Amino acid sequence: MPTTTPAAPSIPGTRRPASQAPGAPRPPRASARAAIGIAALAAIGPATWGTTYVTTTELLPADRPLLAAALRALPAGLILLALTRRLPRGDWWWKATVLGMLNFGAFFPLLFFGAYHLPGGVASTVSAVTPLLVAGFGAGVLKIRPTRRTLTAGLVGVAGVALLVLRGNAEVDPAGIAAMLAATVLMALAVVLSKRWGRPEGVSLLALTGWQLTVGGLALAPVALLGEGLPDHLTGANIAGYTYLGVIGTAVAYALWFHGIERLPASSVSFLGLTNPVVATLAGLLFLGQTLTAWQIGGLALVIGSVALGQNLRRSPRRRTPRTP
C-alpha cells in the first residue's frame, strides 16, 4: 500500500513546495544564523573549484582532460568508500549511478576540456548561468516556479561574472564553449535531482559522495587509459596538482557542497557557485600576475550582490517525517 506523505512547506525563494523521496531523512530545522553557516561551508566547494583552472594550466600535464578527470574522481571515491564501508542498497544503486555520471563521469571531462580550450574567464562566464538552469529544472522536476527575485539575481550574476572575468582579447573556442555549457547543464540537473532524492536513511554524506565519485571514476578510467594513455613521466608539480584536485577540490569540496544542497533551497545553493569565478579571478591575480580593471571591480560587486540576493535564509517551519510501512 502506498503511503501518504504530508505536503512539504514552501521553500524560501520559491512559490510551490519541493518534492522529496518518501522515507528520505528530513534536514533539521535551521535558524537563520545556522543557515548562514551552512551556506558558508557549502560555498567552500565552488570556491575551491575556482582554483581548478590555474591548477590545470600550471600543474597538470597538457592535453589530458580525461586522465585529469579520472584521477580526480576515482582515488577520492575509493578512499571515501574505504572510510565509510557502506554500499548503496535498493534503488540507490541506479540513483547513485545517475548522480555519479552527472556530477563526475560526464561533468569532469567536459569541465577539463573547457579548461584546456578556454581562458578561465570565458569558462567561468558560461558556468555562471547555473542558477538560471537550476530554476528551470526546478520548475520541471521539483514543481517549483522561480520567483522574480531568483531570476533577477541570476541575470545580475551572469552580468557580474562577465564583467569580472571577460577581457576584450579573450579567445573563444566553439568546442570549449559547447563543452562548458554541457557541463553546466549537467551540474544544474544534478543539483535538482539531489534535492529531489535526498539521502538514504542512515547513510552519511561522505558515503553518498564516495558512491558518486567511484561511479564517475570507474566510468572515466578505461576511457582515459584507452583514449589518452599515461604520461611518460609525472613531475612533482603534476603529482601535487592531482593530489590537490582529488583531496581538497573533490572529496572535501563535494562533501560540503552536497551538505549545502541537502539543507538549503536549490535556488539558494546554486548561487553559491558564483564564488567559483571570483576565486578564479583572485587566483589569476595571485599566481598569474593579472590585475583588476575598474570594470572588473564593478563585476565583483555585482557577483557578490547576486549571491546575497539569491539567498533567503528565513526560518522555515518544522517538517514532519512521514511514516513508512
Side-chain angles (χ1 to χ4, degrees):
M1 292 289 291
T3 58
T4 301
T5 303
S10 59
I11 293 177
T14 62
R15 291 185 180 137
R16 295 185 62 182
S19 301
Q20 186 168 352
R26 301 286 186 177
R29 181 177 60 176
S31 66
R33 181 178 297 179
I36 291 173
I38 294 169
L41 285 175
I44 293 175
T48 303
W49 304 332
T51 63
T52 299
Y53 307 110
V54 67
T55 303
T56 299
T57 56
E58 299 300 311
L59 297 180
L60 300 189
D63 300 323
R64 280 185 164 82
L66 292 175
L67 180 64
L71 290 179
R72 184 177 176 182
L74 187 55
L78 293 176
I79 290 172
L80 290 180
L81 283 184
L83 290 175
T84 58
R85 299 183 180 181
R86 190 72 181 266
L87 292 176
R89 292 183 179 179
D91 59 0
W92 269 98
W93 280 104
W94 70 264
K95 288 180 179 178
T97 300
V98 170
L99 292 176
M101 292 304 297
L102 289 176
N103 278 315
F104 306 110
F107 174 76
F108 271 3
L110 291 169
L111 175 68
F112 279 104
F113 184 89
Y116 277 118
H117 289 79
L118 293 173
V122 176
S124 296
T125 303
V126 175
S127 66
V129 302
T130 299
L132 297 175
L133 290 173
V134 168
F137 285 130
V141 177
L142 302 178
K143 307 305 179 185
I144 298 171
R145 285 200 308 164
T147 64
R148 190 173 300 173
R149 172 177 173 169
T150 297
L151 296 177
T152 300
L155 293 174
V156 170
V158 173
V161 170
L163 289 176
L164 177 64
V165 297
L166 284 183
R167 293 173 175 81
N169 60 351
E171 298 180 3
V172 177
D173 182 338
I177 291 289
M180 280 304 303
L181 183 58
T184 303
V185 170
L186 294 182
M187 184 176 186
L189 182 58
V191 168
V192 173
L193 288 180
S194 296
K195 194 70 181 177
R196 166 71 177 176
W197 291 336
R199 176 163 50 98
E201 186 175 359
V203 173
S204 68
L205 278 170
L206 288 180
L208 182 60
T209 305
W211 298 348
Q212 297 180 49
L213 282 168
T214 302
V215 167
L218 289 176
L220 287 167
V223 178
L225 291 176
L226 292 175
E228 296 175 350
L230 295 174
D232 295 333
H233 69 281
L234 291 175
T235 66
N238 297 155
I239 295 173
Y242 285 127
T243 302
Y244 169 77
L245 289 178
V247 176
I248 304 300
T250 303
V252 174
Y254 272 95
L256 295 174
W257 177 246
F258 293 152
H259 180 265
I261 291 175
E262 183 178 70
R263 287 167 170 77
L264 298 173
S267 61
S268 294
V269 76
S270 66
F271 280 96
L272 299 177
L274 296 181
T275 59
N276 182 326
V278 172
V279 173
T281 300
L282 295 177
L285 292 174
L286 292 174
F287 301 107
L288 304 180
Q290 298 173 351
T291 58
L292 282 180
T293 66
W295 286 106
Q296 288 176 305
I297 294 174
L300 178 61
L302 285 178
V303 171
I304 294 174
S306 171
V307 174
L309 185 62
Q311 304 303 307
N312 193 323
L313 304 178
R314 291 176 301 176
R315 193 180 184 95
S316 299
R318 185 183 299 273
R319 295 180 179 181
R320 291 190 296 124
T321 303
R323 296 181 179 274
T324 55

